[in-house]
Amino acid sequence: MSTYTNEQVARLVDGSLDWETTFRMLSMPKDGSRFEQYLAALQAQVKFPDRIVLPLGPHLYIVQSAKTKQWVTQCDCGHVFGDYRENWKMHAHVYVRDTEAAMTEVYPKLMAPDTKWQVYREYYCPSCGTMHDVEAPTPWYPVIHDFEPDIETFYKEWVHMPLPERAG
Ligand SMILES: [Zn+2]
């Protein structure tokens, strides 16, 4: 029994909740149907025919390609960032804000960080220009690969759903 209605889940999809909260809610055990609902709501919203395996962010997903059955990281717009095990950021457009002027332009609330110690890296979809992530590392820090989700375990142990087929 799910404690969430389809409508409430659809509101999650709208982005009225931040991603971290959303993911924490979805990851709560013993309520697998919530994830299933969430996937269905997401799937209804996107325009591509590929099946969503795992959302990575408000506009970024791991999907099962409708054509090849391979799992890839994909944008809302259908742009493919490559195999789901690869770091999608390596295939994104990157904008680095490494001057005080560039930073305060979009992050005015911050106390003008010292650009010797911190820069902002923004990752954009090369096709539609959606920003998928921002990092605030030290300038020399390599591109951060957020996490490699254990999708098999997630499907089996947490949400109790059959794992979508995967080629390659
Ligand atoms: Zn895109």
Side-chain angles (χ1 to χ4, degrees):
M1 270 271 298
S2 172
T3 47
Y4 282 71
T5 65
N6 283 321
E7 199 186 323
Q8 284 171 312
V9 174
R11 287 226 304 275
L12 290 181
V13 178
D14 288 344
S16 15
L17 280 178
D18 66 275
W19 176 245
E20 207 184 309
T21 310
T22 305
F23 196 76
R24 206 182 308 130
M25 289 175 64
L26 293 170
S27 303
M28 282 167 69
K30 299 194 168 76
D31 197 3
S33 64
R34 196 186 295 172
F35 180 71
E36 209 168 344
Q37 277 180 307
Y38 184 60
L39 274 192
L42 282 176
Q43 195 75 60
Q45 200 187 45
V46 296
K47 291 181 187 76
F48 51 72
D50 316 291
R51 177 172 166 190
I52 297 170
V53 177
L54 190 75
L56 295 177
H59 304 285
L60 195 66
Y61 321 87
I62 291 173
V63 303
Q64 178 204 50
S65 164
K67 275 187 208 150
T68 64
K69 301 286 182 219
Q70 283 173 322
W71 289 11
V72 294
T73 303
Q74 183 164 299
C75 175
D76 260 348
C77 73
H79 182 89
V80 173
F81 287 89
D83 187 274
Y84 78 105
R85 287 159 293 201
E86 282 174 37
N87 190 351
W88 62 270
K89 287 175 184 172
M90 303 305 284
H91 304 284
H93 279 183
V94 188
Y95 181 66
V96 180
R97 294 181 192 274
D98 54 3
T99 65
E100 202 182 308
M103 281 190 186
T104 49
E105 201 175 277
V106 278
Y107 308 106
K109 283 176 201 146
L110 294 164
M111 297 287 291
D114 187 333
T115 54
K116 281 205 289 287
W117 295 98
Q118 196 167 52
V119 296
Y120 282 81
R121 291 186 198 137
E122 298 167 346
Y123 295 90
Y124 292 90
C125 171
S127 296
C128 71
T130 297
M131 186 170 80
H132 289 306
D133 202 12
V134 185
E135 290 171 356
T138 49
W140 55 85
Y141 199 86
V143 171
I144 298 162
H145 194 177
D146 296 319
F147 69 117
E148 289 192 47
D150 182 351
I151 299 174
E152 256 169 66
T153 302
F154 182 69
Y155 268 74
K156 206 202 285 179
E157 307 289 332
W158 292 73
V159 297
H160 309 289
M161 284 170 64
L163 192 69
E165 183 194 340
R166 174 164 62 84

